[in-house]
Amino acid sequence: MMERIDRILAHHGYGSRKDVKKLLRTACVTRNGERILDPATRIDPEADALAVDGTPLTLRRDLYLMMHKCADVVCANRDGEHRTVFDLLAPELRRTFFGSALHHVGRLDIDTEGLLILTSDGALTHRLISPKSHIAKTYAVRLRDTPDETARTTYTAQFAQGLHVAPEGNAPAFDAQSATLAWLCDGADIDETTARNAAGCDCLLTLHEGKFHQVKRMFAAVGNEVVYLKRVAVGALKLDAALAPGEYRELTDDELSQLQTES
């Protein structure tokens, strides 16, 4: 897709469209070695080589980040009381890309930790959060009351069958879809990355929807309480166990491909 040079430069930190017009007059902006003066010049970000005063400009249409969200930060652009996930980002990342402004894909509660995807790719966001996509989300859960073997069997059957979940505040009651429980004390067959992310937890819960406070409300429906919650995977994408809470990194090409083809 072709883009105007003034839009490209504005999106890559060179100021407003007005600033870019001045830049084109005062600096040497080139496409494939030829100087550009007209701000309406159209560029192919995938094929053209741009440079500003001889310095190559790496074009990026969208940004894809994996963050290990920590507790006590909120998934919001602004909050008058708490830090937001965007406060954890380097200033140069808080800008508009070609797709849209950087945003979080879904939400995690303020006290919930774990995998949070941030991107400027609106199409990917829609794909991941749409109920039609049926993308799995996996959470590591620590419970107030560690269930014995009989209770674990009962919980597993109830979650698999689907639970009726009571209303909470303004959020209405709902019938939760079938969800899968894997009990860590029973030697659940999980990979090393998941095991490290789930250390100290009782179980892994995998579900395919995202209602308000859903995990907490589902366990409340069976008479227990969640005291710690961490999202460890979205589809096949697992939280990088090397990321400390509050840290983030860009997705690899393979990880992005996983998300784009997840079903």
Side-chain angles (χ1 to χ4, degrees), residues 48-69:
D48 290 331
L50 290 185
V52 178
D53 284 338
T55 301
L57 179 62
T58 301
L59 300 182
R60 56 192 322 163
R61 182 170 295 278
D62 285 299
L63 182 66
Y64 304 90
L65 299 176
M66 170 193 295
M67 175 181 284
H68 184 167
K69 179 191 171 296

Side-chain angles (χ1 to χ4, degrees), residues 175-193:
D175 292 320
Q177 298 173 8
S178 176
T180 303
L181 281 174
W183 296 96
L184 301 177
C185 56
D186 290 337
D189 183 17
I190 56 176
D191 59 273
E192 181 179 350
T193 297

Side-chain angles (χ1 to χ4, degrees), residues 63-67 89 93 102 115-119 248-251:
L63 182 66
Y64 304 90
L65 299 176
M66 170 193 295
M67 175 181 284
L89 299 178
L93 299 181
L102 192 66
L115 175 58
L116 183 68
I117 299 166
L118 298 102
T119 185
Y248 58 91
R249 65 165 174 78
E250 291 195 47
L251 293 181

